[in-house]
Amino acid sequence: MHEYSIVQSLLDQCEEHAKANNATKVKKIVIKIGILSGVEVDLLETAFDTFKEKTICDEALFVVNRQNIVVECNDCNETSTLEKHEFLCPLCNSGNLNVIDGEDMYLMSLEME
């Protein structure tokens, strides 16, 4: 399960940011996960709740924002958010698309004290 390694990496990042900002506690973590990232949100939340104990994030609220698939059409040059997993431009019906968001996971913000 790669969610466990993702959580460990996330906790390491939180620790580094806290040290760099002389913080002793992380109160809130906000992440963005793309629908195409391959990350199972339920498993990630469970892993976070398990591994945060006795860390700087022990009491942190974990907020996950899901990112829909955002594409740019190479034919009509429009940017659109796909409502379904149909990789066709909703404006011109072209399949000549570039995915510009929705594939990655990002640490968006931390609240520390």
mmCIF file with all atom_site columns, all heavy atoms in Angstrom, residues 30-56:
data_model
loop_
_atom_site.group_PDB
_atom_site.id
_atom_site.type_symbol
_atom_site.label_atom_id
_atom_site.label_alt_id
_atom_site.label_comp_id
_atom_site.label_asym_id
_atom_site.label_entity_id
_atom_site.label_seq_id
_atom_site.pdbx_PDB_ins_code
_atom_site.Cartn_x
_atom_site.Cartn_y
_atom_site.Cartn_z
_atom_site.occupancy
_atom_site.B_iso_or_equiv
_atom_site.pdbx_formal_charge
_atom_site.auth_seq_id
_atom_site.auth_comp_id
_atom_site.auth_asym_id
_atom_site.auth_atom_id
_atom_site.pdbx_PDB_model_num
ATOM 1   N N   . VAL A 1 30 ? -3.561  20.731 4.929   1.00 0.00 ? 30 VAL A N   1
ATOM 2   C CA  . VAL A 1 30 ? -4.473  20.709 3.785   1.00 0.00 ? 30 VAL A CA  1
ATOM 3   C C   . VAL A 1 30 ? -3.697  20.181 2.585   1.00 0.00 ? 30 VAL A C   1
ATOM 4   O O   . VAL A 1 30 ? -2.642  20.706 2.235   1.00 0.00 ? 30 VAL A O   1
ATOM 5   C CB  . VAL A 1 30 ? -5.047  22.110 3.474   1.00 0.00 ? 30 VAL A CB  1
ATOM 6   C CG1 . VAL A 1 30 ? -5.966  22.061 2.261   1.00 0.00 ? 30 VAL A CG1 1
ATOM 7   C CG2 . VAL A 1 30 ? -5.777  22.681 4.686   1.00 0.00 ? 30 VAL A CG2 1
ATOM 8   N N   . ILE A 1 31 ? -4.250  19.126 1.980   1.00 0.00 ? 31 ILE A N   1
ATOM 9   C CA  . ILE A 1 31 ? -3.635  18.561 0.790   1.00 0.00 ? 31 ILE A CA  1
ATOM 10  C C   . ILE A 1 31 ? -4.651  18.556 -0.348  1.00 0.00 ? 31 ILE A C   1
ATOM 11  O O   . ILE A 1 31 ? -5.861  18.613 -0.115  1.00 0.00 ? 31 ILE A O   1
ATOM 12  C CB  . ILE A 1 31 ? -3.084  17.142 1.014   1.00 0.00 ? 31 ILE A CB  1
ATOM 13  C CG1 . ILE A 1 31 ? -4.205  16.156 1.348   1.00 0.00 ? 31 ILE A CG1 1
ATOM 14  C CG2 . ILE A 1 31 ? -2.010  17.134 2.085   1.00 0.00 ? 31 ILE A CG2 1
ATOM 15  C CD1 . ILE A 1 31 ? -3.762  14.707 1.324   1.00 0.00 ? 31 ILE A CD1 1
ATOM 16  N N   . LYS A 1 32 ? -4.120  18.505 -1.556  1.00 0.00 ? 32 LYS A N   1
ATOM 17  C CA  . LYS A 1 32 ? -4.957  18.386 -2.753  1.00 0.00 ? 32 LYS A CA  1
ATOM 18  C C   . LYS A 1 32 ? -4.553  17.104 -3.455  1.00 0.00 ? 32 LYS A C   1
ATOM 19  O O   . LYS A 1 32 ? -3.363  16.877 -3.713  1.00 0.00 ? 32 LYS A O   1
ATOM 20  C CB  . LYS A 1 32 ? -4.746  19.589 -3.674  1.00 0.00 ? 32 LYS A CB  1
ATOM 21  C CG  . LYS A 1 32 ? -5.534  19.512 -4.977  1.00 0.00 ? 32 LYS A CG  1
ATOM 22  C CD  . LYS A 1 32 ? -5.384  20.781 -5.788  1.00 0.00 ? 32 LYS A CD  1
ATOM 23  C CE  . LYS A 1 32 ? -4.187  20.713 -6.678  1.00 0.00 ? 32 LYS A CE  1
ATOM 24  N NZ  . LYS A 1 32 ? -4.141  21.777 -7.698  1.00 0.00 ? 32 LYS A NZ  1
ATOM 25  N N   . ILE A 1 33 ? -5.551  16.255 -3.731  1.00 0.00 ? 33 ILE A N   1
ATOM 26  C CA  . ILE A 1 33 ? -5.287  14.986 -4.404  1.00 0.00 ? 33 ILE A CA  1
ATOM 27  C C   . ILE A 1 33 ? -6.086  14.936 -5.698  1.00 0.00 ? 33 ILE A C   1
ATOM 28  O O   . ILE A 1 33 ? -7.307  15.064 -5.690  1.00 0.00 ? 33 ILE A O   1
ATOM 29  C CB  . ILE A 1 33 ? -5.687  13.785 -3.522  1.00 0.00 ? 33 ILE A CB  1
ATOM 30  C CG1 . ILE A 1 33 ? -4.872  13.780 -2.230  1.00 0.00 ? 33 ILE A CG1 1
ATOM 31  C CG2 . ILE A 1 33 ? -5.492  12.476 -4.277  1.00 0.00 ? 33 ILE A CG2 1
ATOM 32  C CD1 . ILE A 1 33 ? -5.222  12.659 -1.297  1.00 0.00 ? 33 ILE A CD1 1
ATOM 33  N N   . GLY A 1 34 ? -5.386  14.745 -6.788  1.00 0.00 ? 34 GLY A N   1
ATOM 34  C CA  . GLY A 1 34 ? -6.038  14.612 -8.085  1.00 0.00 ? 34 GLY A CA  1
ATOM 35  C C   . GLY A 1 34 ? -6.731  13.282 -8.229  1.00 0.00 ? 34 GLY A C   1
ATOM 36  O O   . GLY A 1 34 ? -6.256  12.258 -7.724  1.00 0.00 ? 34 GLY A O   1
ATOM 37  N N   . ILE A 1 35 ? -7.847  13.292 -8.920  1.00 0.00 ? 35 ILE A N   1
ATOM 38  C CA  . ILE A 1 35 ? -8.622  12.075 -9.151  1.00 0.00 ? 35 ILE A CA  1
ATOM 39  C C   . ILE A 1 35 ? -7.776  11.014 -9.853  1.00 0.00 ? 35 ILE A C   1
ATOM 40  O O   . ILE A 1 35 ? -7.926  9.822  -9.597  1.00 0.00 ? 35 ILE A O   1
ATOM 41  C CB  . ILE A 1 35 ? -9.895  12.407 -9.962  1.00 0.00 ? 35 ILE A CB  1
ATOM 42  C CG1 . ILE A 1 35 ? -10.864 13.181 -9.080  1.00 0.00 ? 35 ILE A CG1 1
ATOM 43  C CG2 . ILE A 1 35 ? -10.546 11.148 -10.518 1.00 0.00 ? 35 ILE A CG2 1
ATOM 44  C CD1 . ILE A 1 35 ? -12.094 13.692 -9.807  1.00 0.00 ? 35 ILE A CD1 1
ATOM 45  N N   . LEU A 1 36 ? -6.861  11.428 -10.715 1.00 0.00 ? 36 LEU A N   1
ATOM 46  C CA  . LEU A 1 36 ? -6.028  10.483 -11.458 1.00 0.00 ? 36 LEU A CA  1
ATOM 47  C C   . LEU A 1 36 ? -4.714  10.141 -10.755 1.00 0.00 ? 36 LEU A C   1
ATOM 48  O O   . LEU A 1 36 ? -3.852  9.497  -11.342 1.00 0.00 ? 36 LEU A O   1
ATOM 49  C CB  . LEU A 1 36 ? -5.712  11.043 -12.850 1.00 0.00 ? 36 LEU A CB  1
ATOM 50  C CG  . LEU A 1 36 ? -6.895  11.262 -13.784 1.00 0.00 ? 36 LEU A CG  1
ATOM 51  C CD1 . LEU A 1 36 ? -6.423  11.897 -15.088 1.00 0.00 ? 36 LEU A CD1 1
ATOM 52  C CD2 . LEU A 1 36 ? -7.611  9.954  -14.058 1.00 0.00 ? 36 LEU A CD2 1
ATOM 53  N N   . SER A 1 37 ? -4.551  10.561 -9.496  1.00 0.00 ? 37 SER A N   1
ATOM 54  C CA  . SER A 1 37 ? -3.283  10.352 -8.783  1.00 0.00 ? 37 SER A CA  1
ATOM 55  C C   . SER A 1 37 ? -3.037  8.902  -8.403  1.00 0.00 ? 37 SER A C   1
ATOM 56  O O   . SER A 1 37 ? -1.896  8.510  -8.146  1.00 0.00 ? 37 SER A O   1
ATOM 57  C CB  . SER A 1 37 ? -3.239  11.215 -7.524  1.00 0.00 ? 37 SER A CB  1
ATOM 58  O OG  . SER A 1 37 ? -4.180  10.731 -6.572  1.00 0.00 ? 37 SER A OG  1
ATOM 59  N N   . GLY A 1 38 ? -4.100  8.116  -8.302  1.00 0.00 ? 38 GLY A N   1
ATOM 60  C CA  . GLY A 1 38 ? -3.950  6.732  -7.862  1.00 0.00 ? 38 GLY A CA  1
ATOM 61  C C   . GLY A 1 38 ? -3.948  6.580  -6.354  1.00 0.00 ? 38 GLY A C   1
ATOM 62  O O   . GLY A 1 38 ? -3.760  5.484  -5.842  1.00 0.00 ? 38 GLY A O   1
ATOM 63  N N   . VAL A 1 39 ? -4.160  7.676  -5.634  1.00 0.00 ? 39 VAL A N   1
ATOM 64  C CA  . VAL A 1 39 ? -4.184  7.638  -4.173  1.00 0.00 ? 39 VAL A CA  1
ATOM 65  C C   . VAL A 1 39 ? -5.612  7.383  -3.706  1.00 0.00 ? 39 VAL A C   1
ATOM 66  O O   . VAL A 1 39 ? -6.544  8.067  -4.120  1.00 0.00 ? 39 VAL A O   1
ATOM 67  C CB  . VAL A 1 39 ? -3.667  8.967  -3.576  1.00 0.00 ? 39 VAL A CB  1
ATOM 68  C CG1 . VAL A 1 39 ? -3.775  8.966  -2.066  1.00 0.00 ? 39 VAL A CG1 1
ATOM 69  C CG2 . VAL A 1 39 ? -2.236  9.228  -4.022  1.00 0.00 ? 39 VAL A CG2 1
ATOM 70  N N   . GLU A 1 40 ? -5.772  6.394  -2.836  1.00 0.00 ? 40 GLU A N   1
ATOM 71  C CA  . GLU A 1 40 ? -7.070  6.095  -2.231  1.00 0.00 ? 40 GLU A CA  1
ATOM 72  C C   . GLU A 1 40 ? -7.229  6.982  -0.999  1.00 0.00 ? 40 GLU A C   1
ATOM 73  O O   . GLU A 1 40 ? -6.523  6.811  -0.003  1.00 0.00 ? 40 GLU A O   1
ATOM 74  C CB  . GLU A 1 40 ? -7.152  4.621  -1.835  1.00 0.00 ? 40 GLU A CB  1
ATOM 75  C CG  . GLU A 1 40 ? -7.162  3.672  -2.999  1.00 0.00 ? 40 GLU A CG  1
ATOM 76  C CD  . GLU A 1 40 ? -8.463  3.713  -3.779  1.00 0.00 ? 40 GLU A CD  1
ATOM 77  O OE1 . GLU A 1 40 ? -9.507  4.061  -3.197  1.00 0.00 ? 40 GLU A OE1 1
ATOM 78  O OE2 . GLU A 1 40 ? -8.417  3.412  -4.984  1.00 0.00 ? 40 GLU A OE2 1
ATOM 79  N N   . VAL A 1 41 ? -8.155  7.927  -1.057  1.00 0.00 ? 41 VAL A N   1
ATOM 80  C CA  . VAL A 1 41 ? -8.317  8.913  0.003   1.00 0.00 ? 41 VAL A CA  1
ATOM 81  C C   . VAL A 1 41 ? -8.654  8.251  1.336   1.00 0.00 ? 41 VAL A C   1
ATOM 82  O O   . VAL A 1 41 ? -8.080  8.614  2.372   1.00 0.00 ? 41 VAL A O   1
ATOM 83  C CB  . VAL A 1 41 ? -9.375  9.972  -0.375  1.00 0.00 ? 41 VAL A CB  1
ATOM 84  C CG1 . VAL A 1 41 ? -9.658  10.904 0.783   1.00 0.00 ? 41 VAL A CG1 1
ATOM 85  C CG2 . VAL A 1 41 ? -8.919  10.760 -1.595  1.00 0.00 ? 41 VAL A CG2 1
ATOM 86  N N   . ASP A 1 42 ? -9.546  7.284  1.349   1.00 0.00 ? 42 ASP A N   1
ATOM 87  C CA  . ASP A 1 42 ? -9.915  6.622  2.608   1.00 0.00 ? 42 ASP A CA  1
ATOM 88  C C   . ASP A 1 42 ? -8.709  5.947  3.250   1.00 0.00 ? 42 ASP A C   1
ATOM 89  O O   . ASP A 1 42 ? -8.510  6.044  4.461   1.00 0.00 ? 42 ASP A O   1
ATOM 90  C CB  . ASP A 1 42 ? -11.024 5.595  2.381   1.00 0.00 ? 42 ASP A CB  1
ATOM 91  C CG  . ASP A 1 42 ? -12.348 6.232  2.002   1.00 0.00 ? 42 ASP A CG  1
ATOM 92  O OD1 . ASP A 1 42 ? -12.535 7.431  2.285   1.00 0.00 ? 42 ASP A OD1 1
ATOM 93  O OD2 . ASP A 1 42 ? -13.199 5.527  1.434   1.00 0.00 ? 42 ASP A OD2 1
ATOM 94  N N   . LEU A 1 43 ? -7.914  5.263  2.448   1.00 0.00 ? 43 LEU A N   1
ATOM 95  C CA  . LEU A 1 43 ? -6.712  4.605  2.973   1.00 0.00 ? 43 LEU A CA  1
ATOM 96  C C   . LEU A 1 43 ? -5.692  5.627  3.458   1.00 0.00 ? 43 LEU A C   1
ATOM 97  O O   . LEU A 1 43 ? -5.025  5.420  4.473   1.00 0.00 ? 43 LEU A O   1
ATOM 98  C CB  . LEU A 1 43 ? -6.086  3.705  1.915   1.00 0.00 ? 43 LEU A CB  1
ATOM 99  C CG  . LEU A 1 43 ? -6.900  2.485  1.491   1.00 0.00 ? 43 LEU A CG  1
ATOM 100 C CD1 . LEU A 1 43 ? -6.210  1.761  0.346   1.00 0.00 ? 43 LEU A CD1 1
ATOM 101 C CD2 . LEU A 1 43 ? -7.130  1.551  2.655   1.00 0.00 ? 43 LEU A CD2 1
ATOM 102 N N   . LEU A 1 44 ? -5.577  6.742  2.749   1.00 0.00 ? 44 LEU A N   1
ATOM 103 C CA  . LEU A 1 44 ? -4.645  7.793  3.140   1.00 0.00 ? 44 LEU A CA  1
ATOM 104 C C   . LEU A 1 44 ? -5.054  8.392  4.482   1.00 0.00 ? 44 LEU A C   1
ATOM 105 O O   . LEU A 1 44 ? -4.213  8.598  5.363   1.00 0.00 ? 44 LEU A O   1
ATOM 106 C CB  . LEU A 1 44 ? -4.584  8.882  2.067   1.00 0.00 ? 44 LEU A CB  1
ATOM 107 C CG  . LEU A 1 44 ? -3.510  9.935  2.277   1.00 0.00 ? 44 LEU A CG  1
ATOM 108 C CD1 . LEU A 1 44 ? -2.129  9.340  2.026   1.00 0.00 ? 44 LEU A CD1 1
ATOM 109 C CD2 . LEU A 1 44 ? -3.745  11.121 1.369   1.00 0.00 ? 44 LEU A CD2 1
ATOM 110 N N   . GLU A 1 45 ? -6.338  8.657  4.663   1.00 0.00 ? 45 GLU A N   1
ATOM 111 C CA  . GLU A 1 45 ? -6.825  9.215  5.926   1.00 0.00 ? 45 GLU A CA  1
ATOM 112 C C   . GLU A 1 45 ? -6.594  8.235  7.078   1.00 0.00 ? 45 GLU A C   1
ATOM 113 O O   . GLU A 1 45 ? -6.177  8.642  8.170   1.00 0.00 ? 45 GLU A O   1
ATOM 114 C CB  . GLU A 1 45 ? -8.302  9.584  5.805   1.00 0.00 ? 45 GLU A CB  1
ATOM 115 C CG  . GLU A 1 45 ? -8.535  10.768 4.907   1.00 0.00 ? 45 GLU A CG  1
ATOM 116 C CD  . GLU A 1 45 ? -9.999  11.057 4.619   1.00 0.00 ? 45 GLU A CD  1
ATOM 117 O OE1 . GLU A 1 45 ? -10.839 10.131 4.696   1.00 0.00 ? 45 GLU A OE1 1
ATOM 118 O OE2 . GLU A 1 45 ? -10.296 12.231 4.314   1.00 0.00 ? 45 GLU A OE2 1
ATOM 119 N N   . THR A 1 46 ? -6.848  6.971  6.836   1.00 0.00 ? 46 THR A N   1
ATOM 120 C CA  . THR A 1 46 ? -6.615  5.951  7.870   1.00 0.00 ? 46 THR A CA  1
ATOM 121 C C   . THR A 1 46 ? -5.136  5.866  8.221   1.00 0.00 ? 46 THR A C   1
ATOM 122 O O   . THR A 1 46 ? -4.763  5.814  9.401   1.00 0.00 ? 46 THR A O   1
ATOM 123 C CB  . THR A 1 46 ? -7.126  4.576  7.395   1.00 0.00 ? 46 THR A CB  1
ATOM 124 O OG1 . THR A 1 46 ? -8.529  4.676  7.154   1.00 0.00 ? 46 THR A OG1 1
ATOM 125 C CG2 . THR A 1 46 ? -6.856  3.498  8.427   1.00 0.00 ? 46 THR A CG2 1
ATOM 126 N N   . ALA A 1 47 ? -4.290  5.874  7.211   1.00 0.00 ? 47 ALA A N   1
ATOM 127 C CA  . ALA A 1 47 ? -2.845  5.818  7.435   1.00 0.00 ? 47 ALA A CA  1
ATOM 128 C C   . ALA A 1 47 ? -2.376  7.058  8.190   1.00 0.00 ? 47 ALA A C   1
ATOM 129 O O   . ALA A 1 47 ? -1.556  6.955  9.115   1.00 0.00 ? 47 ALA A O   1
ATOM 130 C CB  . ALA A 1 47 ? -2.105  5.700  6.099   1.00 0.00 ? 47 ALA A CB  1
ATOM 131 N N   . PHE A 1 48 ? -2.910  8.222  7.841   1.00 0.00 ? 48 PHE A N   1
ATOM 132 C CA  . PHE A 1 48 ? -2.516  9.447  8.537   1.00 0.00 ? 48 PHE A CA  1
ATOM 133 C C   . PHE A 1 48 ? -2.899  9.371  10.010  1.00 0.00 ? 48 PHE A C   1
ATOM 134 O O   . PHE A 1 48 ? -2.088  9.677  10.887  1.00 0.00 ? 48 PHE A O   1
ATOM 135 C CB  . PHE A 1 48 ? -3.149  10.682 7.880   1.00 0.00 ? 48 PHE A CB  1
ATOM 136 C CG  . PHE A 1 48 ? -2.730  11.955 8.554   1.00 0.00 ? 48 PHE A CG  1
ATOM 137 C CD1 . PHE A 1 48 ? -1.502  12.526 8.276   1.00 0.00 ? 48 PHE A CD1 1
ATOM 138 C CD2 . PHE A 1 48 ? -3.552  12.564 9.485   1.00 0.00 ? 48 PHE A CD2 1
ATOM 139 C CE1 . PHE A 1 48 ? -1.096  13.690 8.918   1.00 0.00 ? 48 PHE A CE1 1
ATOM 140 C CE2 . PHE A 1 48 ? -3.161  13.721 10.132  1.00 0.00 ? 48 PHE A CE2 1
ATOM 141 C CZ  . PHE A 1 48 ? -1.927  14.289 9.850   1.00 0.00 ? 48 PHE A CZ  1
ATOM 142 N N   . ASP A 1 49 ? -4.132  8.963  10.283  1.00 0.00 ? 49 ASP A N   1
ATOM 143 C CA  . ASP A 1 49 ? -4.584  8.850  11.667  1.00 0.00 ? 49 ASP A CA  1
ATOM 144 C C   . ASP A 1 49 ? -3.732  7.858  12.460  1.00 0.00 ? 49 ASP A C   1
ATOM 145 O O   . ASP A 1 49 ? -3.504  8.043  13.657  1.00 0.00 ? 49 ASP A O   1
ATOM 146 C CB  . ASP A 1 49 ? -6.060  8.441  11.727  1.00 0.00 ? 49 ASP A CB  1
ATOM 147 C CG  . ASP A 1 49 ? -6.988  9.564  11.325  1.00 0.00 ? 49 ASP A CG  1
ATOM 148 O OD1 . ASP A 1 49 ? -6.572  10.744 11.355  1.00 0.00 ? 49 ASP A OD1 1
ATOM 149 O OD2 . ASP A 1 49 ? -8.146  9.272  10.966  1.00 0.00 ? 49 ASP A OD2 1
ATOM 150 N N   . THR A 1 50 ? -3.255  6.822  11.808  1.00 0.00 ? 50 THR A N   1
ATOM 151 C CA  . THR A 1 50 ? -2.432  5.811  12.474  1.00 0.00 ? 50 THR A CA  1
ATOM 152 C C   . THR A 1 50 ? -1.026  6.321  12.747  1.00 0.00 ? 50 THR A C   1
ATOM 153 O O   . THR A 1 50 ? -0.512  6.177  13.863  1.00 0.00 ? 50 THR A O   1
ATOM 154 C CB  . THR A 1 50 ? -2.351  4.538  11.597  1.00 0.00 ? 50 THR A CB  1
ATOM 155 O OG1 . THR A 1 50 ? -3.671  4.038  11.405  1.00 0.00 ? 50 THR A OG1 1
ATOM 156 C CG2 . THR A 1 50 ? -1.480  3.471  12.243  1.00 0.00 ? 50 THR A CG2 1
ATOM 157 N N   . PHE A 1 51 ? -0.395  6.925  11.757  1.00 0.00 ? 51 PHE A N   1
ATOM 158 C CA  . PHE A 1 51 ? 1.011   7.288  11.866  1.00 0.00 ? 51 PHE A CA  1
ATOM 159 C C   . PHE A 1 51 ? 1.283   8.656  12.472  1.00 0.00 ? 51 PHE A C   1
ATOM 160 O O   . PHE A 1 51 ? 2.423   8.954  12.810  1.00 0.00 ? 51 PHE A O   1
ATOM 161 C CB  . PHE A 1 51 ? 1.696   7.182  10.501  1.00 0.00 ? 51 PHE A CB  1
ATOM 162 C CG  . PHE A 1 51 ? 1.802   5.774  10.013  1.00 0.00 ? 51 PHE A CG  1
ATOM 163 C CD1 . PHE A 1 51 ? 1.087   5.349  8.907   1.00 0.00 ? 51 PHE A CD1 1
ATOM 164 C CD2 . PHE A 1 51 ? 2.603   4.858  10.666  1.00 0.00 ? 51 PHE A CD2 1
ATOM 165 C CE1 . PHE A 1 51 ? 1.169   4.041  8.467   1.00 0.00 ? 51 PHE A CE1 1
ATOM 166 C CE2 . PHE A 1 51 ? 2.699   3.549  10.227  1.00 0.00 ? 51 PHE A CE2 1
ATOM 167 C CZ  . PHE A 1 51 ? 1.976   3.140  9.119   1.00 0.00 ? 51 PHE A CZ  1
ATOM 168 N N   . LYS A 1 52 ? 0.277   9.496  12.635  1.00 0.00 ? 52 LYS A N   1
ATOM 169 C CA  . LYS A 1 52 ? 0.507   10.837 13.192  1.00 0.00 ? 52 LYS A CA  1
ATOM 170 C C   . LYS A 1 52 ? 0.746   10.814 14.699  1.00 0.00 ? 52 LYS A C   1
ATOM 171 O O   . LYS A 1 52 ? 1.293   11.760 15.250  1.00 0.00 ? 52 LYS A O   1
ATOM 172 C CB  . LYS A 1 52 ? -0.664  11.768 12.867  1.00 0.00 ? 52 LYS A CB  1
ATOM 173 C CG  . LYS A 1 52 ? -1.907  11.515 13.679  1.00 0.00 ? 52 LYS A CG  1
ATOM 174 C CD  . LYS A 1 52 ? -2.978  12.531 13.358  1.00 0.00 ? 52 LYS A CD  1
ATOM 175 C CE  . LYS A 1 52 ? -4.196  12.356 14.267  1.00 0.00 ? 52 LYS A CE  1
ATOM 176 N NZ  . LYS A 1 52 ? -5.180  13.398 14.044  1.00 0.00 ? 52 LYS A NZ  1
ATOM 177 N N   . GLU A 1 53 ? 0.350   9.708  15.356  1.00 0.00 ? 53 GLU A N   1
ATOM 178 C CA  . GLU A 1 53 ? 0.501   9.625  16.803  1.00 0.00 ? 53 GLU A CA  1
ATOM 179 C C   . GLU A 1 53 ? 1.959   9.786  17.215  1.00 0.00 ? 53 GLU A C   1
ATOM 180 O O   . GLU A 1 53 ? 2.861   9.246  16.596  1.00 0.00 ? 53 GLU A O   1
ATOM 181 C CB  . GLU A 1 53 ? -0.054  8.297  17.315  1.00 0.00 ? 53 GLU A CB  1
ATOM 182 C CG  . GLU A 1 53 ? -1.559  8.202  17.162  1.00 0.00 ? 53 GLU A CG  1
ATOM 183 C CD  . GLU A 1 53 ? -2.123  6.908  17.704  1.00 0.00 ? 53 GLU A CD  1
ATOM 184 O OE1 . GLU A 1 53 ? -1.440  6.231  18.508  1.00 0.00 ? 53 GLU A OE1 1
ATOM 185 O OE2 . GLU A 1 53 ? -3.248  6.571  17.319  1.00 0.00 ? 53 GLU A OE2 1
ATOM 186 N N   . LYS A 1 54 ? 2.149   10.580 18.254  1.00 0.00 ? 54 LYS A N   1
ATOM 187 C CA  . LYS A 1 54 ? 3.470   10.856 18.825  1.00 0.00 ? 54 LYS A CA  1
ATOM 188 C C   . LYS A 1 54 ? 4.393   11.570 17.840  1.00 0.00 ? 54 LYS A C   1
ATOM 189 O O   . LYS A 1 54 ? 5.606   11.410 17.880  1.00 0.00 ? 54 LYS A O   1
ATOM 190 C CB  . LYS A 1 54 ? 4.107   9.589  19.368  1.00 0.00 ? 54 LYS A CB  1
ATOM 191 C CG  . LYS A 1 54 ? 3.298   8.965  20.492  1.00 0.00 ? 54 LYS A CG  1
ATOM 192 C CD  . LYS A 1 54 ? 3.952   7.734  21.032  1.00 0.00 ? 54 LYS A CD  1
ATOM 193 C CE  . LYS A 1 54 ? 3.031   7.144  22.100  1.00 0.00 ? 54 LYS A CE  1
ATOM 194 N NZ  . LYS A 1 54 ? 3.492   5.866  22.594  1.00 0.00 ? 54 LYS A NZ  1
ATOM 195 N N   . THR A 1 55 ? 3.797   12.339 16.929  1.00 0.00 ? 55 THR A N   1
ATOM 196 C CA  . THR A 1 55 ? 4.583   13.198 16.034  1.00 0.00 ? 55 THR A CA  1
ATOM 197 C C   . THR A 1 55 ? 4.142   14.633 16.268  1.00 0.00 ? 55 THR A C   1
ATOM 198 O O   . THR A 1 55 ? 3.212   14.903 17.027  1.00 0.00 ? 55 THR A O   1
ATOM 199 C CB  . THR A 1 55 ? 4.368   12.844 14.540  1.00 0.00 ? 55 THR A CB  1
ATOM 200 O OG1 . THR A 1 55 ? 3.055   13.263 14.142  1.00 0.00 ? 55 THR A OG1 1
ATOM 201 C CG2 . THR A 1 55 ? 4.570   11.362 14.274  1.00 0.00 ? 55 THR A CG2 1
ATOM 202 N N   . ILE A 1 56 ? 4.764   15.540 15.569  1.00 0.00 ? 56 ILE A N   1
ATOM 203 C CA  . ILE A 1 56 ? 4.401   16.952 15.661  1.00 0.00 ? 56 ILE A CA  1
ATOM 204 C C   . ILE A 1 56 ? 2.986   17.199 15.121  1.00 0.00 ? 56 ILE A C   1
ATOM 205 O O   . ILE A 1 56 ? 2.366   18.218 15.393  1.00 0.00 ? 56 ILE A O   1
ATOM 206 C CB  . ILE A 1 56 ? 5.457   17.820 14.930  1.00 0.00 ? 56 ILE A CB  1
ATOM 207 C CG1 . ILE A 1 56 ? 5.366   19.262 15.383  1.00 0.00 ? 56 ILE A CG1 1
ATOM 208 C CG2 . ILE A 1 56 ? 5.354   17.662 13.424  1.00 0.00 ? 56 ILE A CG2 1
ATOM 209 C CD1 . ILE A 1 56 ? 6.573   20.082 15.033  1.00 0.00 ? 56 ILE A CD1 1
#
